[in-house]
Amino acid sequence: MRARLSSLSLAAIAAVSCFQVEPLPDCGQNAGEGGLYTPHYVCMPRAGAPLEISIAPRRLLRGDFDDEGVDNDFAVLLDLGRIQIHTTRDQKTELSAKLEAEGRVEAIAAARFFGEGHGDDLLGVTAGDKASGTAGKVFGFHNGGDMFASTAPEQFEAATLVPWGNCPAPNSIETLDVVEVENAKGLAIGCDSGPPTAEKPEEEALDGIVVEADEGVPFALQRRVGLKIPELTGIHAVNVAQLDGLGFEDIVAAHRPMDSEHESLAIYLVSKDAFTTDAEQAERLDIPLTHFEIRRVLLDDLDGDGDVDLVAVHPSDRGITVVRQRRSEPLLFEAPQFFDVGREIRDAELGDFTGDGEVDIAVAHDVEGTGLNAVSVLIRTHDLSPGQIDYALAPAGEVSGEIVDLEPLDYDGDGRIDIGAVVKVGSEGRVLFWLNRSPAGE
Amino acid sequence: MLSRGRTRRNGRIPALARSCRLGAAIGLSLALGLGGPASARQAEPAAGADEAEAQRLFEEGSKAYNLGKFDVAIEHFEAAYELSHADALLYNLGQAYSKRYEVEAEPAHLRRARVLFLNFAKIREAAGSDASDARERIAAIDAQLAELGKGEAAAQPEGPAPAPESPAKQPYRPRAAGIAGYALIGAGLVLGTGLGALGLVSAGRIDEQRRDEWQYVPLSGAREQQYEDSYQSARALAFAGIGVGGALLVTGVVLVAVDAARGGKSAPRRAQLRPGGLAVAF
């Protein structure tokens, strides 16, 4: 007896194959060595070899320093007050300028502040002496179109006349922008005021400074207003965004109320009047949180309802707090939602890293039991009603060394948000970038 | 039994002698039918040496008959008949075959005995003599054959008939039902194992793919439903294939068993069945 398979079996195979479910797209090469990869969601290969730096880095800042119109350049804040400016064209990066500020640089910001027709200028704050109450300084390097050829910065003391006070410990700086206006309209500076000093017990330090940019006025004479709130010990982790829809960007900062062990988010709604000497204290909204230590405040429309939502990063609490804004007047916010990462956080950034049109949260954190750091992505989950948010934590990749800072930028100029990171390796460091090739966005 | 001292006259056996011989033969046979050891009939004396030889053969046959050696008795009676042509020997032979059947239970002996009794009866009846005894013997044999379920005695034509051949055993050859049964068995195995395996493997792959996508981020409701629908469809196909295949298999086995029980006698032939493309050749 002999038998043979025939069209019956082939038809069966074809019929059964109809039950296949088309798999979600994926980058089959697993993003290559050192890339960030989560099956079907994140695919971010490394953009070439990392940039080696001989001094330990502290901060990575994106900008458009070469006036290309794309934020694919970056500044690296190093120890000892040094700042490197790197510009990128055609995915080739070169060191364009080396800057140096006096004192310990606590924070930097990039924006067109001094004049027009050139790339971003570089601004920052340096620490004063908290013990003596000596104010820190606010400095600004002119881009000038010649890539910071004039390397000496303009600067002024972090002190205000209205109200009278010093900011000995400036900790953060952001530029205030107005929609459709290229140049920044001001600066928001956070100050860690702390308790009054022993030498000047009657003087209370500033909690923050708001500077109004005036093109015709020297930098040192820019109009500025101090923020001094009795119940606060200072604000930090400043960030700015348009919250109330009225012209100027508003300021969101973290602070720890005196009567609470937990931190809160403070929202300052900035108007033109805030910059005049007759201005009353800016309207402030407080959002108490239930966790400690806020390292960063991030702002973006997470739930897709058109309002800017708030994100607080808690390194030691190993999680992220999200506060959604209700679309209503006056400004109202939902109850905070905490998303546990489970590991000590180094930094976090917002962006659409999966390419699905939703805002995700990239988190750099420790890997327990190893000397490695890793990047995970809080991916927005599906089937949520407008205004709702939920995240699923997905590991993406590991890095050798200590991730000091993450920065979202469009490194390759393709319109998709990439991720840059500065990694500290001993007393040296490296800068590396992951290019967004996530399959959902293709 | 042939008697001594009698001679042919003018080539004919005297009628008295014939009647006496026949009467003695009948009487003796009747006695034997009641349990008597001997079954020989008296035969007409043969002329001369043939007669003597026939007589001798008859006596030898009788001895063998008495000893239960019916095959030997048949040989001798047949040889005696060749020499004497005494029709009474036909009756003797019938008796011997009947007795032989009692020993060997071969229906052929019974049929042979019937033929011999029938021939004797016809000869006697043609001669105007009574053959009721022979007819009774024939009837008894018919009843025996009927019990054996052969029914060939009633269909046997009157007259000398050749001994029937015992049917030789033939190897089993499947007929149409058996061929169809094997085809169904094959189709059942293909459907059951093929579709069943493909369906279950597909369902497994679908589930594995779903778990892979759900590893970190929960699936959307629409996609979860898509997976569920495909998974259930694959399993349904698998179980349907197993069910239908099993039914075909069982049906095929039944058909083959029934065909084998009935005893397929068809000559071997080449089957080219193509149910769904399955080809089987014997």
Side-chain angles (χ1 to χ4, degrees), chain A residues 367-378:
Chain A
V367 179
E368 289 189 5
T370 71
L372 300 173
N373 276 191
V375 176
S376 297
V377 180
L378 283 165

Side-chain angles (χ1 to χ4, degrees), chain A residues 78-96:
Chain A
L78 309 172
D79 278 341
L80 308 176
R82 296 177 184 176
I83 304 167
Q84 291 183 352
I85 303 295
H86 297 259
T87 54
T88 305
R89 280 186 183 263
D90 300 326
Q91 294 196 30
K92 291 183 181 178
T93 299
E94 62 179 14
L95 177 61
S96 298

Side-chain angles (χ1 to χ4, degrees), chain A residues 10 34 78 113 121 143 161 264 273 310 355 386 389 442:
Chain A
L10 294 176
L78 309 172
F113 199 89
D121 304 304
N143 185 305
L161 296 175
S264 291
D273 291 341
L310 320 178
I389 52 166
E442 295 178 358

